[in-house]
């Protein structure tokens, strides 16, 4: 029986995508060859890469001033590539510290140059999103993390800054409508909301690159990846293809607007239960609650055994909280049906 998968990442994808992806492993588009055994330079795979790049711009409503790349090394390598590509030798960048991943981005960037943390909720174990800070033109760029996967907080609005705007959107990309043209660089590991592990999506405004005076190693140079149309070396063909299938599925089902409406309904269903059920309490500050990752805990630890047994018996998987936080975390990404959230809510109700 198919489980109700609340895993934080790698995570749920649409069932149709799993089916199409498995077919392509056996016979890709009737070629008599597997997707995994054809050249990445073949016209068939080049078409996949071209379409995988184009669909991102369509979904985000971005024009020709943006480029889309699928790279390796995950979001974690972008922690390093961002300062390498945007930070001038004597310049400085502004970061917000809103969770473990944001702190990871700061740590890597500090290896490259001067970084100021302009807003942080670290003292409160990242339970909210800091909001009152200013970022002036003396910074080369501002970096934020739109959704904090581990803590279940999400930026509901983005600050106006007088410099370039960079965002790690790994865990909420394509989940809600945003004015994506406000961002100069967006990156997202595929494995949270758009595909399998093994690829990271980079969306970048072309004209911000090549201005630092740094002599970059080839793989770390976003400009070179653009010049090579995301094929500087052998790209991760399977993650690119499956990400493409997921985005095509999204586009054919009403795009980001439709996904956002579903995500809001799912989140409301679960947060309402957390707020109304005396056995549970949420972790994140209410105004910053994530639509993607819902962190909560029991108010009475003596119910833990009963609750764990009940959700497992209901066919739920992946509900344990991150090791940094404990408790529970329900990740309700785009592909999660509301019926699965209802199964969890029913288990919580029954427990009470
Ligand atoms: C999971 C995650 C990462 C790390 O992604 P990798 O692709 O494993 O490097 C970075 N940022 C956020 C917000 C994440 O959720």
């Amino acid at each position: 029986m198919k489980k109700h998968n609340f895993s934080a990442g790698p995570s749920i994808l649409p069932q149709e995508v799993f089916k199409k992806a498995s077919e392509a492993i056996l016979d890709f588009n009737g070629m008599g060859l597997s997707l995994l055994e054809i050249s990445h330079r073949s016209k068939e795979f080049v078409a996949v890469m071209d379409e995988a790049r184009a669909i991102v711009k369509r979904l985000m409503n971005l024009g020709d001033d943006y480029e889309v790349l699928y790279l390796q090394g995950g979001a974690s390598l972008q922690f390093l590539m961002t300062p390498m590509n945007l930070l001038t030798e004597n310049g400085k960048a502004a970061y917000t510290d809103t969770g473990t991943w944001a702190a990871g981005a700061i740590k890597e960037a500090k290896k490259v140059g001067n970084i100021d943390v302009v807003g942080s909720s670290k003292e409160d174990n990242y339970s909210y999103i800091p909001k009152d800070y200013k970022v002036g033109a003396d910074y080369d760029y501002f970096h934020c993390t739109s959704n904090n996967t581990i803590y279940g907080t999400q930026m509901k609005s983005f600050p106006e800054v007088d410099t370039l705007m960079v965002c790690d959107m790994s865990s909420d990309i394509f989940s809600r409508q945003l004015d994506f043209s406000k961002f100069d660089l967006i990156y997202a590991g595929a494995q949270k909301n758009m595909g399998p592990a093994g690829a990271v999506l980079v969306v970048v405004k072309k004209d911000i690159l090549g201005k630092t005076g740094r002599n970059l190693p080839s793989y770390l140079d976003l400009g070179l990846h653009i010049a090579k149309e995301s094929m500087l070396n052998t790209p991760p063909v399977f993650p690119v293809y499956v990400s493409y299938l997921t985005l095509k599925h999204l586009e054919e089902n009403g795009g980001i607007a439709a996904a956002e409406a579903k995500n809001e309904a799912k989140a409301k269903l679960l947060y309402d239960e957390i707020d109304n059920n005396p056995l549970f309490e949420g972790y994140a500050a209410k105004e910053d609650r994530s639509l993607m990752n819902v962190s909560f805990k029991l108010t009475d630890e003596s119910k833990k055994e009963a609750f764990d047994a009940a959700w497992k018996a209901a066919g739920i998987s992946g509900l344990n909280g991150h090791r940094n936080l404990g408790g529970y975390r329900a990740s309700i990404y785009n592909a999660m049906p509301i019926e699965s959230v209802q199964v969890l809510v029913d288990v919580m109700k029954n427990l009470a």
Side-chain angles (χ1 to χ4, degrees), residues 33 85 97-98 104 114 178 195 233 324 328 338:
L33 293 165
N85 283 273
D97 183 4
T98 53
N114 297 316
L178 291 174
N233 67 331
N324 290 3
Y328 300 94
I338 195 159

Side-chain angles (χ1 to χ4, degrees), residues 102-348:
I106 292 165
K107 182 175 169 216
E108 290 307 299
K110 281 187 170 166
K111 294 175 186 172
V112 180
N114 297 316
I115 303 300
D116 286 347
V117 176
V118 294
S120 172
S121 51
K122 189 176 178 186
E123 296 300 306
D124 289 285
N125 201 21
Y126 300 124
S127 61
Y128 71 97
I129 299 284
K131 295 171 194 84
D132 44 344
Y133 51 86
K134 287 250 174 319
V135 181
D138 49 333
Y139 287 103
D140 286 343
Y141 66 92
F142 167 68
H143 180 285
C144 59
T145 308
S146 55
N147 186 73
N148 300 283
T149 326
I150 294 172
Y151 306 89
T153 61
Q154 186 175 36
M155 294 175 76
K156 303 293 164 180
S157 64
F158 292 84
E160 294 294 329
V161 295
D162 292 326
T163 183
L164 302 180
M165 179 88 163
V166 179
C167 190
D168 173 1
M169 294 195 188
S170 292
S171 54
D172 67 352
I173 188 122
F174 302 118
S175 70
R176 57 174 169 165
Q177 290 175 287
L178 291 174
D179 179 1
F180 292 101
S181 70
K182 282 202 160 175
F183 299 87
D184 297 283
L185 174 65
I186 295 167
Y187 60 87
Q191 70 275 16
K192 306 282 169 51
N193 208 23
M194 67 173 284
V200 55
L201 175 73
V202 178
V203 180
V204 59
K205 205 168 188 178
K206 265 181 284 193
D207 68 5
I208 69 169
L209 298 172
K211 296 190 170 156
T212 64
R214 291 179 196 273
N215 181 17
L216 296 177
S218 300
Y219 197 87
L220 304 185
D221 185 347
L222 287 174
L224 193 57
H225 283 291
I226 290 170
K228 299 291 182 184
E229 302 185 331
S230 209
M231 296 244 206
L232 173 64
N233 67 331
T234 316
V237 293
F238 190 63
V240 170
Y241 181 64
V242 182
S243 297
Y244 162 63
L245 290 179
T246 308
L247 297 181
K248 190 158 158 259
H249 180 270
L250 176 63
E251 190 174 56
E252 288 167 357
N253 287 278
I256 297 178
E260 179 175 33
K262 280 192 203 145
N263 290 332
E264 280 173 354
K266 288 182 284 179
K268 181 172 185 328
L269 179 63
L270 186 50
Y271 283 119
D272 280 353
E273 182 59 26
I274 289 169
D275 290 341
N276 295 327
N277 188 325
L279 288 182
F280 294 96
E281 65 184 350
Y283 180 73
K286 280 194 180 171
E287 61 177 14
D288 301 324
R289 282 175 162 178
S290 169
L291 295 188
M292 295 280 99
N293 312 97
V294 179
S295 289
F296 61 100
K297 63 180 189 193
L298 283 162
T299 50
D300 174 359
E301 272 302 305
S302 74
K303 299 284 189 297
K304 180 171 164 46
E305 225 173 293
F307 182 52
D308 289 353
W311 59 259
K312 282 173 193 160
I316 287 172
S317 162
L319 198 64
N320 284 320
H322 188 273
R323 59 187 180 280
N324 290 3
L325 198 62
Y328 300 94
R329 172 176 51 173
S331 295
I332 48 177
Y333 295 120
N334 282 359
M336 167 70 65
I338 195 159
E339 291 78 13
S340 291
V341 180
Q342 187 66 54
V343 169
L344 172 59
V345 166
D346 289 345
V347 168
M348 294 164 79

